[in-house]
Amino acid sequence: MLNSQRIFVEAIRRYCADHHITVEVRADGWLIVMRGGGKRHCAFGYDLGLNSAVAHRIANDKSATADVLAMADVPCVPHVLFLNPELNAYVPSRGSWGAMLALLQQHPQGVVVKPNEGTSGKSVFLVSSAPALELAVNKIFAAHASLAMSPFLAIEHEVRVVLLDGTPLVVYGKDRPTVLGDGEHSLLELALTTLPADRRSAVLPGLFADVEKAVLDAIVPAGERRVLNWRHNLEFGARPRLVEQGEDRDICIALAQRAAEAIGIRFASIDVVRVDRGWQILEVNSGVMMEALSKLHPELVQAAYGAALDKVFG
């Protein structure tokens, strides 16, 4: 899909048409300039420009987000920052490798290594050995100035809350793809036969990358459900599902509101995860992306972006 065809761009165009605001789309859809009511306003990427520069920078930095939330006593997944060795003037004299190994030893179930900045789950690795850690670190540092390490958690559920000035606009879960064993077919066979064709390109690369061949080829016992990806990212095959009214939804909203207040962010999508029946913040995203959700609930996505644009144009 071209950048100019994103739902984000279409939602802005529709809003501007309904409110007699002129709109120009530049840079293949990444830059949008709006003029109306004596005001000129820009949107860039998935950022509508409501957040301060500091709030945006903190939300875009996983370790900074974790530090700010921890200081505000908001339950969150810790993320430890490590700089690329090429930034040697800012790296401790003792180096970073020893500290990375120490973190891995503290979490024998594994650690997640990812670029410290960025979204969408790309270049995110689950590692449980020193050689795998070294490979992941080298891959990330080949393209990024820093990385973040966090303990691997057996996440039961992940919920995204889209907030605007503390008001929840959208609350949806991310359901990972699964298969149900029949006692006759392997995990790979089940994945190939049960996944819809339009989801295979998103799910299968992660399955091949993360699951050992012996596990892929092993017969899955009848009645046993297997998750096909440890990630909850929508780009890797998870599907959005609106969260019904109830205690869990209220808890997620309350935590997201506390996180937004701590960072001072106005418009954001905040990921809340449940681990061992307790909820905590995973990430805060300054750019609000709802491409996957729009395929199921286009009117809800349009209303959310419209509410944010109302704040811009009064």
Side-chain angles (χ1 to χ4, degrees):
M1 178 181 65
L2 297 174
N3 292 327
S4 58
Q5 295 175 339
R6 292 175 298 149
I7 295 302
F8 180 82
V9 178
E10 177 59 30
I12 292 177
R13 280 180 166 146
R14 185 175 302 176
Y15 178 92
C16 290
D18 291 343
H19 293 80
H20 308 291
I21 297 169
T22 62
V23 58
E24 291 183 64
V25 178
R26 299 294 182 90
D28 292 329
W30 284 115
L31 174 63
I32 304 173
V33 181
M34 296 163 275
R35 296 181 179 87
K39 179 180 293 189
R40 180 177 180 274
H41 187 80
C42 296
F44 188 82
Y46 284 94
D47 193 333
L48 278 176
L50 282 173
N51 300 319
S52 72
V54 171
H56 169 75
R57 291 294 300 274
I58 291 174
N60 197 46
D61 186 303
K62 295 175 177 61
S63 65
T65 295
D67 286 345
V68 170
L69 296 184
M71 292 170 65
D73 293 324
V74 179
C76 65
V77 178
H79 286 74
V80 181
L81 171 68
F82 292 98
L83 297 179
N84 192 310
E86 293 192 3
L87 301 173
N88 60 345
Y90 308 99
V91 176
S93 58
R94 64 182 180 277
S96 299
W97 183 240
M100 291 181 182
L101 287 176
L103 272 176
L104 179 61
Q105 292 169 358
Q106 292 171 22
H107 304 285
Q109 75 278 15
V111 294
V112 177
V113 190
K114 64 183 80 169
N116 187 48
E117 298 185 9
T119 59
S120 81
K122 291 184 172 62
S123 298
V124 177
F125 303 95
L126 169 59
V127 302
S128 56
S129 68
L133 175 61
E134 185 174 16
L135 180 61
V137 168
N138 286 337
K139 286 183 177 180
I140 294 174
F141 279 158
H144 299 274
S146 61
L147 63 79
M149 287 179 60
S150 61
F152 171 70
L153 303 174
I155 294 175
E156 301 164 15
H157 297 289
E158 182 171 324
V159 172
R160 173 162 288 183
V161 181
V162 177
L163 282 182
L164 175 62
D165 288 333
T167 300
L169 301 179
V170 186
V171 183
Y172 63 94
K174 303 177 186 180
D175 294 337
R176 293 174 292 177
T178 63
V179 294
L180 185 64
D182 59 6
E184 298 180 4
H185 296 89
S186 68
L187 180 64
L188 179 56
E189 289 172 329
L190 291 170
L192 291 173
T193 56
T194 61
L195 280 173
D198 61 346
R199 300 183 73 193
R200 292 173 190 164
S201 62
V203 177
L204 293 179
L207 183 65
F208 292 140
D210 298 328
V211 180
E212 296 179 355
K213 184 178 185 302
V215 178
L216 285 174
D217 294 338
I219 302 300
V220 181
E224 184 173 305
R225 186 163 292 281
R226 295 278 182 87
V227 176
L228 297 181
N229 200 317
W230 62 273
R231 305 172 183 85
H232 284 76
N233 300 83
L234 299 174
E235 289 193 17
F236 286 95
R239 280 189 166 174
R241 170 188 48 81
L242 295 181
V243 178
E244 297 179 354
Q245 298 288 340
E247 182 181 6
D248 284 345
R249 188 177 189 274
D250 293 342
I251 291 173
C252 290
I253 291 173
L255 266 180
Q257 290 169 332
R258 291 174 59 191
E261 182 179 4
I263 293 175
I265 200 164
R266 296 184 61 192
F267 187 44
S269 58
I270 301 176
D271 293 334
V272 191
V273 296
R274 188 170 77 176
V275 181
D276 295 331
R277 299 188 178 181
W279 291 94
Q280 53 189 306
I281 302 295
L282 177 62
E283 290 183 1
V284 177
N285 302 288
S286 178
V288 179
M289 181 190 302
M290 293 185 283
E291 302 292 319
L293 183 66
S294 69
K295 296 176 182 178
L296 300 175
H297 303 283
E299 73 294 336
L300 192 59
V301 171
Q302 182 68 41
Y305 285 133
L309 288 166
D310 281 345
K311 297 282 186 176
V312 171
F313 290 101

